[in-house]
């Protein structure tokens, strides 16, 4: 019996080994081991092995045979899963039924229990193989075989005890260890297959990877940590023109990078290596064997060993030379187009400006013509109309005086317009220069106040100076005539555009600036016109129905003058309530002040009679000669006249007792300036007073430079002429 047990055991062991090989070849290696057909096939083969096991039992007690089917079926459930195991169980149960005998029920039950436990274990402990597999196999083996012992209850009573006794020891010593051993063997098979497969995969992917690198149309080069080339592909060789042996193990940078770039590129390379981070894009030039250079866009990948240490740098690149050239070309073309565009834009702007200028000048021309026509015709109408009326013999003395006043006012109005026009055209042509002199600001304001007081009062307006400068601050260095012209203009407007209330003005000092202001309670200016009124010929109400005379030039002249003085002018206003005009100019302190005879406010005594004066009047215009003669005849009975410079020179030579020459500047042949220079060569004492119809800034300086004593502008202002004759004639 012992021999039969041993033999049975050996046979069973061999069969179980065969079973384990079945796992290796039929299950693990078959890629399609999950197919139903395969599962059925495996089930049938396991069932067949079970049959073989049952055919090679060992007999414990006559009629009671044992084999290791419980081991195999439970392991089958665990490793192969439900379908193959259920099929195998069905076959084996059927066969056990067919064999029959006393142990038939127990035999069938053992098959059923072993398979079920294997299947359930696989399902409910899915990680059994990965954690503590030995323990798992042991516990399952114990469970299966404890239940096998319990199955002895299904034996006939007469053999139950004896069988139980007979199988306890083999169960513990053989069946449970056999379960553990068989399971362990199959796990090993599974693991070694997994490892083999992983290795195969690794080799395959490495083969594929190097195949790709070798054959791909990518420039591929591997560098070690010193920059030595350890690998490059055929494409790299084709493009660069080197052979493999010429460059492997050589330093990449000294072969492919231009000398001046080597240091920088090598530094970048070491940085990538040390930072241990892939740098995805890197573009640079590399030199081919024939010396040409190509532009490459690289993708850099750091290769690490199993410990994660970087050992190589793989550089995969594309030759983008053509693209770069194309881009450069495009950039250049773009630049040219941009430049051309800029040129066109500039031309456009210039054209626009020219167009606007043309339109503006057209507009101005029309405005100018309409305005001028109106502004000149109105006073001319007065002058000519009343001059005609004056011829009427029936006029009373009072009427004559009234008409003469009207003619005078109209003449003054004409003169204002002409002066404005001359100023604006001189500003336009850049002829006006700034002539700083010492100016007494307070005196200048007083003069303007006195000048406008009668006009303001005649309109029922009060006029005041609010702010004078302190005595110590009143002297400044600036262009007196310009400040005077600007302030005059603003006060004149304030009176002109006010019907009631007051006009006040003044000057305050703010740090290095002088701020002049003029306030009125007049008609005001709409907000949208506050800027534009400083433009030429701009009037808030340019219509003919406007009640206010003017050509719209005063403020534009004022603005130009203030700008020349380095300042700014602006206005605030409320329609119907009044306006405030401000202008600021730099305040440069001056120490003393020179008197300016032009605005000299000395109360001259025009009644002084100097009938012994001998005066020479020089003018090529007959009307001017007559007027001048009339104006000065009260000072002398001895008046000489000349119609050009040469005549004047000759007359002075012949009459050294002439006291005063009233000399026109613009004359034919020898002009007034030249005549003065020549007279001064032989007569330094004679008083020469220049007279000119230009009335321009700078005339005075020019005449004084030539040797004149003073200057008076045409049309002649009687009071001023009186003052000059009185001043220069006294004591002669
Ligand atoms: P104008 O000879 O017409 O007075 P200006 O250049 O001096 O020319 O002024 C331009 C316009 O600005 C005037 O026509 C007038 O409409 C407006 N303006 C100037 N000053 C005042 C003021 N103080 N009050 C109201 N309107 C003014």
């Amino acid at each position: 019996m012992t021999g039969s047990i041993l033999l049975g055991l050996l046979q069973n062991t061999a069969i179980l080994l065969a079973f384990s090989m079945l796992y290796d070849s039929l299950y693990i290696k078959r890629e399609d081991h999950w197919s139903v057909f395969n599962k059925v096939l495996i089930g049938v083969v396991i069932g067949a092995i079970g049959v073989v096991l049952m055919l090679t039992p060992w007999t414990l007690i006559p009629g009671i045979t044992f084999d290791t089917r419980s081991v195999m079926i439970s392991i089958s459930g665990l490793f192969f899963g439900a379908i193959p195991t259920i099929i195998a169980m069905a076959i084996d149960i059927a066969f056990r039924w067919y064999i029959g005998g006393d142990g038939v029920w127990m035999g069938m039950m053992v098959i059923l229990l072993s398979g079920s436990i294997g299947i359930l274990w696989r399902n409910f402990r899915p990680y059994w193989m990965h954690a503590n597999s030995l323990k798992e196999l042991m516990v399952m083996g114990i469970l299966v075989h404890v239940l096998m012992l319990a199955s002895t209850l299904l034996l006939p009573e007469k053999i139950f005890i004896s069988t139980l006794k007979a199988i306890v020891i083999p169960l513990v010593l053989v069946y449970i260890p056999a379960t553990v051993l068989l399971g362990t063997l199959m796990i090993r098979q599974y693991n070694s297959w997994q490892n083999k497969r992983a290795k195969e995969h690794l080799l395959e992917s490495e083969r594929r990877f190097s195949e790709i690198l070798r054959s791909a149309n990518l420039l591929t080069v591997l560098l070690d940590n010193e920059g030595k080339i350890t690998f490059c592909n055929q494409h790299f060789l084709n493009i660069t023109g080197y052979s493999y042996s010429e460059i492997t193990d050589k330093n990449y940078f000294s072969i492919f990078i231009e000398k001046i770039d080597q240091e920088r590129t090598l530094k970048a390379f070491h940085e990538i290596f040390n930072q241990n981070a892939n740098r995805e894009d890197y573009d640079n030039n590399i030199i081919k064997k024939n010396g040409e250079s190509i532009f490459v866009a690289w993708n850099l990948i750091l290769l690490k060993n199993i410990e994660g240490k970087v050992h190589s740098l793989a550089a995969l690149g594309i030759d983008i030379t053509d693209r770069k050239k194309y881009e450069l070309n495009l950039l250049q073309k773009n630049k040219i187009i941009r430049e051309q565009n800029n040129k066109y834009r500039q031309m456009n702007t210039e054209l626009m400006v020219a167009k606007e200028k043309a339109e503006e000048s057209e507009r101005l021309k029309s405005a100018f013509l309409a305005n001028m026509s109106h502004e000149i015709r109105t006073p001319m109408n007065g002058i000519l109309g009343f001059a005609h009326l004056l011829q009427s013999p029936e006029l009373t003395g009072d009427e004559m005086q009234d008409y003469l006043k009207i003619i005078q006012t109209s003449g003054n109005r004409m003169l204002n317009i002409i002066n404005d026009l001359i100023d604006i055209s001189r500003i336009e042509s850049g002829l006006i220069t700034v002539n700083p002199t010492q100016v007494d600001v307070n005196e200048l304001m007083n003069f303007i106040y006195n000048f406008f007081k009668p006009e303001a009062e005649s309109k029922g307006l009060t006029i005041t100076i609010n702010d004078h400068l302190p005595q110590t601050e009143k002297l400044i260095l600036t262009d007196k005539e310009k400040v005077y012209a600007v302030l005059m203009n603003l006060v004149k407007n304030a009176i002109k555009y006010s019907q009631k209330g007051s006009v006040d003005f003044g000057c305050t000092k703010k740090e290095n600036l002088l701020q002049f202001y003029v306030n009125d309670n007049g008609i005001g200016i709409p907000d949208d016109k506050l800027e534009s009124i400083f433009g030429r010929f701009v009037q808030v109400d340019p219509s003919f129905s406007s009640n206010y005379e003017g050509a719209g030039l005063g403020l534009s002249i004022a603005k130009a003058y203030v700008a020349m003085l380095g300042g700014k002018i602006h206005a605030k206003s409320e329609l119907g309530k009044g306006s405030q005009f401000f202008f600021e100019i730099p305040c440069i302190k001056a120490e003393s002040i020179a008197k300016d005879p032009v605005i000299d406010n000395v109360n001259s005594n025009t009644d002084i009679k100097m009938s012994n004066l001998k005066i020479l009047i020089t003018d090529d215009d007959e009307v001017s000669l007559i007027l001048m003669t009339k104006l000065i005849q009260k000072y002398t009975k001895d008046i000489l006249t000349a119609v050009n410079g040469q005549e004047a020179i000759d007359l002075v030579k012949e009459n050294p007792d002439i006291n005063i020459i009233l000399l026109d500047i613009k004359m034919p042949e020898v002009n007034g300036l030249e005549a003065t220079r020549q007279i001064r060569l032989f007569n330094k004492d004679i008083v020469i007073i220049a007279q000119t119809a230009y009335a321009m800034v700078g005339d005075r300086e020019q005449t004084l430079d030539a040797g004149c004593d003073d200057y008076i502008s045409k049309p002649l202002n009687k009071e001023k002429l009186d003052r000059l004759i009185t001043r220069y004639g006294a004591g002669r």
Side-chain angles (χ1 to χ4, degrees), residues 371 375 420 489-498 518-520 522-526 529 532-542 546 548-557 573 578-581:
N371 225 318
E375 286 304 309
D420 277 357
N489 211 298
L490 298 183
V491 178
K492 188 178 81 189
N493 279 349
I495 296 170
K496 181 160 76 168
Y497 295 105
S498 300
V518 180
N519 302 328
D520 66 57
I523 58 171
I525 302 160
K529 292 272 160 75
S532 62
I533 49 168
F534 292 98
R536 269 167 238 163
F537 303 114
V538 178
Q539 293 177 302
V540 173
D541 179 8
S546 162
Y548 304 97
E549 62 183 55
L553 285 174
L555 288 182
S556 60
I557 294 170
S573 185
S579 312
Q580 294 123 44
F581 282 80

Side-chain angles (χ1 to χ4, degrees), residues 112-137:
L112 187 68
L113 288 173
S114 318
S116 305
I117 288 170
I119 293 167
L120 291 174
W121 207 273
R122 178 186 172 96
N123 284 339
F124 290 108
R125 298 194 64 82
Y127 300 108
W128 71 271
M129 203 193 276
H130 305 291
N132 283 330
S133 58
L134 209 64
K135 210 163 113 193
E136 294 275 339
L137 285 169

Side-chain angles (χ1 to χ4, degrees), residues 552-676:
L553 285 174
L555 288 182
S556 60
I557 294 170
K559 187 179 174 184
Y561 281 179
V562 172
M564 282 180 202
L565 297 177
K568 277 186 207 145
I569 186 165
H570 70 282
K572 285 182 190 166
S573 185
E574 212 174 319
L575 209 56
K577 295 217 166 139
S579 312
Q580 294 123 44
F581 282 80
F582 307 89
F583 71 96
E584 292 165 350
I585 54 168
C587 175
I588 305 163
K589 217 173 157 197
E591 297 312 324
S592 63
I593 187 161
K595 279 236 178 258
D596 186 341
V598 176
I599 58 167
D600 194 352
N601 199 23
V602 181
N603 256 341
S604 57
N605 183 357
T606 51
D607 294 335
I608 296 173
K609 291 273 178 288
M610 284 169 276
S611 50
N612 54 345
L613 290 179
K614 188 168 185 175
I615 299 178
L616 165 65
I617 306 171
T618 314
D619 206 311
D620 60 332
D621 177 45
E622 206 185 326
V623 177
S624 299
L625 272 180
I626 299 168
L627 178 67
M628 191 68 88
T629 313
K630 294 277 175 215
L631 288 175
I632 63 165
Q633 63 190 4
K634 61 181 169 183
Y635 299 107
T636 174
K637 290 277 171 284
D638 199 358
I639 296 176
L640 305 176
T641 55
V643 292
N644 61 48
Q646 190 54 54
E647 262 187 48
I649 298 165
D650 296 342
L651 278 171
V652 174
K653 277 184 184 156
E654 289 158 20
N655 302 279
D657 55 337
I658 293 175
N659 303 108
I660 298 175
I661 312 174
L662 291 166
L663 184 69
D664 188 24
I665 295 299
K666 189 177 171 290
M667 283 186 300
E669 295 174 35
V670 179
N671 68 32
L673 293 178
E674 185 50 36
T676 308

Side-chain angles (χ1 to χ4, degrees), residues 481 595-598 692 696-706 708-712 720:
E481 290 185 35
K595 279 236 178 258
D596 186 341
V598 176
T692 166
M696 289 172 190
V697 179
D699 280 358
R700 189 165 166 267
E701 283 69 25
Q702 245 188 327
T703 53
L704 297 186
D705 283 352
C708 295
D709 295 278
D710 219 317
Y711 158 93
I712 185 165
K720 195 170 175 194

Side-chain angles (χ1 to χ4, degrees), residues 433-437 478-482 565 697-698 701:
T433 52
V434 178
N435 301 307
T437 54
T478 189
D479 188 320
K480 185 178 193 169
E481 290 185 35
K482 291 189 181 70
L565 297 177
V697 179
E701 283 69 25

